[in-house]
C-alpha cells in the first residue's frame, strides 16, 4: 500500500485480502470492551468538559454498552453483564446545572442525550416526561441548526430512540416529533450549517432527510423531490461533495461525516420508503461503493465518523468489507503505525477526546465488531434504531 500524499491508502493488486481471520471479531470486541471499562471507567461524578452527549463522554459510552447488552446479552465484561456497565456510566452525576443547548440540540447535547438514554435504560415514564419537556424548549430557539450533531435532526433521532426502547412512550413522544419535524421542514430545503449548504450524513441534507423519514415515514412523499436532487448531485467518481460550494472541486472527502459513505448509509436506510427510487438508489450505492473501495481506506485512525470503520460498514458483505475491517484490526493498526516512516498513518483523529464513542478507535471498534456481519450494518447514533 502507498498513498503518502493522499488522505487514503491505495489499494494495489498485491494488497492482502485475508487480513481478518474468520471468527476473530468477537475476540476483538471483548478486548475493546475490557479496555474501555479498565481505562475509561464509570465515575461517581463527571466534569462538565467531557460531557458531549452521544459523541463523547459517559452518556455515549452508556448508550454503546446498552446497545451491546440488548444485542448480545450473554456477554460479560470484567465479570459483569454489559447492562451493569451501561447503568454504571449513566449513574454518575453530571452536576446540578446541566443546561439545554450547551452543544446545540442534536446528539452531542449532553442534557438531551443523557435524558434520552436514561429513559431508554430505565423505561421509567417520569424520565420520558422529563426528556420530552426538555425537547419542547427547543422550539423557542430559532438559532439552532437542523443537522444531526448539533441540530434538530439529532433531536429527532433521540425521540425515535426513546419511542423504540420505551414501551408506552409513543403518544407523548409523537407530539414532540411532529413539532420538531414541522420546524425542520419549514426551514428546508435550504438548510445551512455555519453558512454552508452541507449535503452529508452528519451536518447536511442526507442526515436530515433520513431522520425525518425514519422517524415519520408518512413524510416520504414530501421529502422525495429533495432525495432525487441529492441523487442528481453524485459526482463522476461516485462521491458526493461535502457542500454545494464544492460541486466542482475535484476529489472530496470520503468518510461517513462527509461524502459517499454517509450518503449511502442514509439512502439504504431510506430505500424501502421510496419504491419509485429503488433503481436509482441501487445504482448510486453501487457507484458510491466503488469510490469507497478506491478512496476510502483512510489514513486517519480507524473510527466511525471519519475513518476506516465507518467506511467498511458501507461496503457489501464479502472480501471488500473484510479487507477494510482487517486493515483496521488492532494488530494491523499497530504494525502499520510502527512501520510508517512518516508518522501519518493512523494518527489520532478524535479531536483530543479519548474514548469518544464516534471518533476514537476503541469504542468505534466495539460497535463495528458488533454489527459488521450484518447485511446492511447500522451506524450508532444515526440509523441503529
Amino acid at each position: 500500500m502507498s498513498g503518502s500524499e493522499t488522505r487514503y491508502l491505495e489499494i494495489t493488486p498485491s494488497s492482502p485480502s485475508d487480513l481478518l481471520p474468520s471468527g476473530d471479531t468477537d475476540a476483538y470486541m471483548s478486548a475493546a470492551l475490557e479496555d474501555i471499562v479498565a481505562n475509561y471507567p464509570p465515575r461517581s461524578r463527571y466534569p462538565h468538559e467531557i460531557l458531549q452527549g452521544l459523541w463523547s463522554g459517559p452518556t455515549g459510552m452508556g448508550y454503546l454498552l446498552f446497545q451491546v447488552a440488548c444485542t448480545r446479552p450473554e456477554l460479560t465484561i470484567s465479570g459483569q453483564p454489559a447492562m451493569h456497565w451501561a447503568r454504571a456510566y449513566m449513574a454518575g452525576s453530571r452536576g446540578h446545572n446541566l443546561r439545554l443547548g450547551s452543544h446545540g440540540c442534536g446528539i452531542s447535547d449532553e442534557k438531551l442525550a443523557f435524558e434520552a438514554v436514561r429513559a431508554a435504560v430505565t423505561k421509567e415514564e417520569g424520565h420520558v416526561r422529563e426528556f420530552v419537556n426538555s425537547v419542547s424548549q427547543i422550539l423557542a430557539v430559532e438559532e439552532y441548526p437542523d443537522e444531526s450533531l448539533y441540530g434538530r435532526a439529532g433531536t429527532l433521532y433521540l425521540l425515535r430512540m426513546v419511542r423504540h426502547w420505551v414501551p408506552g412512550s409513543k403518544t407523548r413522544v409523537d407530539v414532540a416529533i411532529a413539532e420538531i419535524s414541522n420546524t425542520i421542514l419549514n426551514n428546508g430545503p435550504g438548510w445551512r450549517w455555519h453558512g454552508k449548504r452541507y449535503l452529508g450524513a452528519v451536518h447536511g441534507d442526507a442526515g436530515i432527510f433520513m431522520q425525518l423519514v425514519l422517524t415519520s415515514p408518512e413524510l416520504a412523499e414530501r421529502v422525495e423531490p429533495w432525495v432525487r436532487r441529492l441523487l442528481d448531485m453524485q459526482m463522476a467518481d461516485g462521491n458526493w461533495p461535502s457542500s454545494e460550494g464544492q460541486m466542482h472541486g475535484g476529489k472530496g472527502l470520503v468518510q461517513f461525516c462527509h461524502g459517499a459513505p454517509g450518503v449511502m448509509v442514509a439512502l439504504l436506510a431510506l430505500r424501502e420508503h421510496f419504491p419509485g427510487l429503488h433503481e436509482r438508489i441501487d445504482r448510486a450505492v453501487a457507484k458510491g461503493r466503488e469510490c469507497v473501495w478506491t478512496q476510502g481506506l483512510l489514513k486517519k485512525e480507524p473510527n466511525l465518523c471519519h475513518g476506516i470503520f465507518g467506511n467498511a460498514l458501507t461496503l457489501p458483505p464479502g472480501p471488500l468489507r473484510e479487507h477494510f475491517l482487517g486493515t483496521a484490526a488492532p494488530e494491523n493498526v499497530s504494525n502499520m503505525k510502527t512501520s510508517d516512516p512518516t508518522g501519518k498513518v493512523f494518527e489520532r483523529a478524535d479531536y483530543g477526546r479519548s474514548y469518544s464513542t464516534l471518533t476514537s478507535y476503541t469504542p468505534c471498534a466495539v460497535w463495528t465488531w458488533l454489527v459488521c456481519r450484518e447485511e446492511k450494518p447500522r451506524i450508532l447514533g444515526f440509523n441503529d434504531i
Side-chain angles (χ1 to χ4, degrees), residues 22-55:
S22 177
D24 272 2
T25 53
D26 274 4
Y28 290 146
M29 180 170 62
S30 293
L33 287 166
E34 294 289 347
D35 181 280
I36 288 170
V37 301
N39 296 305
Y40 189 82
R43 303 184 187 183
S44 60
R45 184 178 182 86
Y46 298 104
H48 179 76
E49 60 268 19
I50 72 169
L51 301 176
Q52 301 281 332
L54 298 188
W55 174 21

Short mmCIF file of all heavy atoms in Angstrom, two decimals, residues 22-55:
data_model
loop_
_atom_site.label_atom_id
_atom_site.label_comp_id
_atom_site.label_asym_id
_atom_site.label_seq_id
_atom_site.Cartn_x
_atom_site.Cartn_y
_atom_site.Cartn_z
N SER A 22 -11.39 -15.36 10.09
CA SER A 22 -12.80 -15.63 10.38
C SER A 22 -12.99 -15.92 11.87
O SER A 22 -12.25 -16.67 12.48
CB SER A 22 -13.29 -16.83 9.56
OG SER A 22 -14.62 -17.14 9.88
N GLY A 23 -14.00 -15.30 12.46
CA GLY A 23 -14.35 -15.59 13.84
C GLY A 23 -13.64 -14.74 14.87
O GLY A 23 -13.96 -14.81 16.05
N ASP A 24 -12.68 -13.90 14.46
CA ASP A 24 -11.93 -13.11 15.43
C ASP A 24 -12.68 -11.88 15.92
O ASP A 24 -12.23 -11.23 16.86
CB ASP A 24 -10.60 -12.66 14.82
CG ASP A 24 -9.49 -13.68 15.04
OD1 ASP A 24 -9.77 -14.74 15.62
OD2 ASP A 24 -8.37 -13.39 14.63
N THR A 25 -13.77 -11.51 15.30
CA THR A 25 -14.41 -10.26 15.64
C THR A 25 -14.95 -10.25 17.07
O THR A 25 -14.90 -9.22 17.74
CB THR A 25 -15.54 -9.93 14.66
OG1 THR A 25 -16.43 -11.04 14.57
CG2 THR A 25 -14.99 -9.64 13.28
N ASP A 26 -15.46 -11.36 17.57
CA ASP A 26 -15.92 -11.41 18.95
C ASP A 26 -14.78 -11.19 19.93
O ASP A 26 -14.93 -10.51 20.95
CB ASP A 26 -16.61 -12.74 19.25
CG ASP A 26 -18.09 -12.75 18.89
OD1 ASP A 26 -18.56 -11.72 18.33
OD2 ASP A 26 -18.77 -13.74 19.15
N ALA A 27 -13.62 -11.77 19.62
CA ALA A 27 -12.46 -11.58 20.49
C ALA A 27 -12.03 -10.12 20.47
O ALA A 27 -11.68 -9.55 21.52
CB ALA A 27 -11.32 -12.48 20.04
N TYR A 28 -12.04 -9.50 19.29
CA TYR A 28 -11.70 -8.08 19.20
C TYR A 28 -12.68 -7.23 20.01
O TYR A 28 -12.29 -6.29 20.70
CB TYR A 28 -11.72 -7.62 17.75
CG TYR A 28 -10.61 -8.16 16.88
CD1 TYR A 28 -10.84 -8.45 15.54
CD2 TYR A 28 -9.32 -8.37 17.38
CE1 TYR A 28 -9.83 -8.92 14.72
CE2 TYR A 28 -8.31 -8.84 16.57
CZ TYR A 28 -8.56 -9.13 15.24
OH TYR A 28 -7.57 -9.59 14.43
N MET A 29 -13.97 -7.54 19.89
CA MET A 29 -14.97 -6.77 20.60
C MET A 29 -14.80 -6.91 22.11
O MET A 29 -14.85 -5.92 22.85
CB MET A 29 -16.39 -7.20 20.20
CG MET A 29 -17.48 -6.41 20.90
SD MET A 29 -19.13 -6.73 20.22
CE MET A 29 -19.31 -8.48 20.53
N SER A 30 -14.59 -8.11 22.58
CA SER A 30 -14.41 -8.33 24.02
C SER A 30 -13.18 -7.59 24.54
O SER A 30 -13.22 -6.98 25.62
CB SER A 30 -14.29 -9.83 24.32
OG SER A 30 -15.52 -10.48 24.06
N ALA A 31 -12.10 -7.64 23.78
CA ALA A 31 -10.88 -6.94 24.20
C ALA A 31 -11.11 -5.43 24.27
O ALA A 31 -10.64 -4.75 25.20
CB ALA A 31 -9.74 -7.26 23.24
N ALA A 32 -11.84 -4.88 23.29
CA ALA A 32 -12.13 -3.45 23.29
C ALA A 32 -13.02 -3.08 24.47
O ALA A 32 -12.81 -2.03 25.12
CB ALA A 32 -12.78 -3.05 21.97
N LEU A 33 -14.00 -3.90 24.78
CA LEU A 33 -14.88 -3.63 25.92
C LEU A 33 -14.10 -3.66 27.23
O LEU A 33 -14.29 -2.81 28.11
CB LEU A 33 -16.02 -4.64 25.96
CG LEU A 33 -17.09 -4.47 24.89
CD1 LEU A 33 -17.97 -5.71 24.78
CD2 LEU A 33 -17.95 -3.24 25.17
N GLU A 34 -13.21 -4.62 27.38
CA GLU A 34 -12.39 -4.69 28.59
C GLU A 34 -11.49 -3.47 28.70
O GLU A 34 -11.28 -2.92 29.79
CB GLU A 34 -11.55 -5.97 28.58
CG GLU A 34 -12.34 -7.26 28.68
CD GLU A 34 -12.95 -7.49 30.07
OE1 GLU A 34 -12.57 -6.77 31.02
OE2 GLU A 34 -13.82 -8.38 30.18
N ASP A 35 -10.97 -3.01 27.57
CA ASP A 35 -10.13 -1.81 27.55
C ASP A 35 -10.92 -0.60 28.04
O ASP A 35 -10.41 0.22 28.84
CB ASP A 35 -9.61 -1.58 26.13
CG ASP A 35 -8.72 -0.35 26.03
OD1 ASP A 35 -9.26 0.77 25.97
OD2 ASP A 35 -7.48 -0.52 26.01
N ILE A 36 -12.16 -0.46 27.59
CA ILE A 36 -12.98 0.69 27.97
C ILE A 36 -13.20 0.73 29.48
O ILE A 36 -12.97 1.76 30.14
CB ILE A 36 -14.32 0.67 27.22
CG1 ILE A 36 -14.10 1.02 25.74
CG2 ILE A 36 -15.31 1.66 27.85
CD1 ILE A 36 -15.34 0.79 24.88
N VAL A 37 -13.68 -0.36 30.06
CA VAL A 37 -14.02 -0.32 31.49
C VAL A 37 -12.78 -0.23 32.36
O VAL A 37 -12.85 0.25 33.50
CB VAL A 37 -14.90 -1.51 31.90
CG1 VAL A 37 -16.19 -1.53 31.09
CG2 VAL A 37 -14.16 -2.83 31.76
N ALA A 38 -11.63 -0.67 31.84
CA ALA A 38 -10.39 -0.57 32.61
C ALA A 38 -9.79 0.84 32.55
O ALA A 38 -9.31 1.36 33.57
CB ALA A 38 -9.36 -1.59 32.11
N ASN A 39 -9.82 1.46 31.36
CA ASN A 39 -9.11 2.72 31.16
C ASN A 39 -10.02 3.94 31.08
O ASN A 39 -9.53 5.08 31.11
CB ASN A 39 -8.25 2.63 29.91
CG ASN A 39 -7.16 1.59 30.05
OD1 ASN A 39 -6.36 1.64 30.98
ND2 ASN A 39 -7.13 0.62 29.14
N TYR A 40 -11.32 3.72 30.94
CA TYR A 40 -12.29 4.80 30.97
C TYR A 40 -13.47 4.34 31.82
O TYR A 40 -14.59 4.17 31.34
CB TYR A 40 -12.75 5.15 29.54
CG TYR A 40 -13.60 6.40 29.46
CD1 TYR A 40 -13.02 7.66 29.43
CD2 TYR A 40 -14.98 6.31 29.41
CE1 TYR A 40 -13.80 8.81 29.37
CE2 TYR A 40 -15.78 7.45 29.33
CZ TYR A 40 -15.18 8.69 29.31
OH TYR A 40 -15.96 9.83 29.24
N PRO A 41 -13.23 4.11 33.10
CA PRO A 41 -14.26 3.50 33.94
C PRO A 41 -15.37 4.50 34.30
O PRO A 41 -15.16 5.72 34.20
CB PRO A 41 -13.48 3.10 35.20
CG PRO A 41 -12.37 4.09 35.26
CD PRO A 41 -11.98 4.36 33.84
N PRO A 42 -16.52 4.00 34.71
CA PRO A 42 -17.57 4.89 35.21
C PRO A 42 -17.08 5.66 36.43
O PRO A 42 -16.24 5.17 37.19
CB PRO A 42 -18.71 3.93 35.59
CG PRO A 42 -18.41 2.66 34.88
CD PRO A 42 -16.92 2.58 34.75
N ARG A 43 -17.60 6.86 36.61
CA ARG A 43 -17.25 7.69 37.76
C ARG A 43 -18.51 8.02 38.55
O ARG A 43 -19.63 7.93 38.04
CB ARG A 43 -16.60 9.00 37.31
CG ARG A 43 -15.36 8.87 36.45
CD ARG A 43 -14.79 10.26 36.18
NE ARG A 43 -13.70 10.23 35.21
CZ ARG A 43 -13.00 11.32 34.87
NH1 ARG A 43 -13.30 12.50 35.40
NH2 ARG A 43 -12.03 11.23 33.99
N SER A 44 -18.30 8.46 39.78
CA SER A 44 -19.43 8.93 40.58
C SER A 44 -19.84 10.34 40.17
O SER A 44 -20.98 10.76 40.38
CB SER A 44 -19.08 8.90 42.06
OG SER A 44 -17.97 9.75 42.33
N ARG A 45 -18.90 11.07 39.56
CA ARG A 45 -19.18 12.43 39.11
C ARG A 45 -18.33 12.73 37.88
O ARG A 45 -17.17 12.35 37.81
CB ARG A 45 -18.85 13.44 40.22
CG ARG A 45 -19.21 14.88 39.89
CD ARG A 45 -18.89 15.80 41.05
NE ARG A 45 -19.28 17.17 40.76
CZ ARG A 45 -20.49 17.67 40.95
NH1 ARG A 45 -21.44 16.89 41.46
NH2 ARG A 45 -20.77 18.92 40.67
N TYR A 46 -18.92 13.40 36.89
CA TYR A 46 -18.22 13.67 35.64
C TYR A 46 -18.00 15.18 35.48
O TYR A 46 -18.94 15.96 35.67
CB TYR A 46 -19.01 13.15 34.45
CG TYR A 46 -19.21 11.67 34.46
CD1 TYR A 46 -20.44 11.11 34.80
CD2 TYR A 46 -18.17 10.80 34.14
CE1 TYR A 46 -20.63 9.73 34.82
CE2 TYR A 46 -18.34 9.43 34.15
CZ TYR A 46 -19.58 8.90 34.49
OH TYR A 46 -19.75 7.54 34.51
N PRO A 47 -16.79 15.59 35.11
CA PRO A 47 -16.55 17.02 34.87
C PRO A 47 -17.29 17.48 33.62
O PRO A 47 -17.45 16.73 32.66
CB PRO A 47 -15.03 17.10 34.67
CG PRO A 47 -14.61 15.72 34.26
CD PRO A 47 -15.56 14.78 34.92
N HIS A 48 -17.70 18.72 33.65
CA HIS A 48 -18.53 19.27 32.57
C HIS A 48 -17.85 19.16 31.21
O HIS A 48 -18.51 18.90 30.20
CB HIS A 48 -18.87 20.73 32.87
CG HIS A 48 -19.70 21.39 31.82
ND1 HIS A 48 -21.06 21.15 31.69
CD2 HIS A 48 -19.37 22.26 30.83
CE1 HIS A 48 -21.53 21.85 30.65
NE2 HIS A 48 -20.53 22.54 30.13
N GLU A 49 -16.52 19.34 31.19
CA GLU A 49 -15.83 19.41 29.89
C GLU A 49 -15.83 18.10 29.11
O GLU A 49 -15.56 18.10 27.90
CB GLU A 49 -14.39 19.90 30.08
CG GLU A 49 -13.53 19.02 30.96
CD GLU A 49 -13.56 19.46 32.42
OE1 GLU A 49 -14.50 20.19 32.81
OE2 GLU A 49 -12.65 19.04 33.16
N ILE A 50 -16.13 16.97 29.74
CA ILE A 50 -16.14 15.71 28.99
C ILE A 50 -17.55 15.31 28.56
O ILE A 50 -17.73 14.28 27.92
CB ILE A 50 -15.49 14.56 29.78
CG1 ILE A 50 -16.39 14.10 30.95
CG2 ILE A 50 -14.11 14.94 30.27
CD1 ILE A 50 -15.92 12.80 31.58
N LEU A 51 -18.53 16.12 28.89
CA LEU A 51 -19.92 15.76 28.60
C LEU A 51 -20.30 16.24 27.21
O LEU A 51 -20.54 17.42 26.97
CB LEU A 51 -20.85 16.37 29.65
CG LEU A 51 -20.58 15.95 31.10
CD1 LEU A 51 -21.49 16.69 32.06
CD2 LEU A 51 -20.72 14.44 31.27
N GLN A 52 -20.37 15.30 26.25
CA GLN A 52 -20.63 15.63 24.86
C GLN A 52 -21.74 14.76 24.28
O GLN A 52 -21.70 14.37 23.11
CB GLN A 52 -19.35 15.45 24.03
CG GLN A 52 -18.18 16.29 24.49
CD GLN A 52 -18.28 17.72 24.01
OE1 GLN A 52 -18.87 18.00 22.97
NE2 GLN A 52 -17.70 18.64 24.75
N GLY A 53 -22.72 14.39 25.07
CA GLY A 53 -23.84 13.62 24.56
C GLY A 53 -23.41 12.27 24.03
O GLY A 53 -22.57 11.57 24.63
N LEU A 54 -23.97 11.87 22.88
CA LEU A 54 -23.61 10.59 22.28
C LEU A 54 -22.27 10.64 21.57
O LEU A 54 -21.69 9.60 21.26
CB LEU A 54 -24.69 10.15 21.28
CG LEU A 54 -26.09 9.90 21.82
CD1 LEU A 54 -26.95 9.28 20.72
CD2 LEU A 54 -26.09 9.02 23.05
N TRP A 55 -21.76 11.84 21.31
CA TRP A 55 -20.50 11.96 20.59
C TRP A 55 -19.33 11.46 21.45
O TRP A 55 -18.54 10.63 21.03
CB TRP A 55 -20.28 13.42 20.17
CG TRP A 55 -18.92 13.68 19.55
CD1 TRP A 55 -18.10 12.74 18.97
CD2 TRP A 55 -18.25 14.93 19.44
NE1 TRP A 55 -16.96 13.36 18.50
CE2 TRP A 55 -17.02 14.69 18.78
CE3 TRP A 55 -18.56 16.22 19.83
CZ2 TRP A 55 -16.11 15.72 18.51
CZ3 TRP A 55 -17.66 17.24 19.55
CH2 TRP A 55 -16.45 16.98 18.90
#
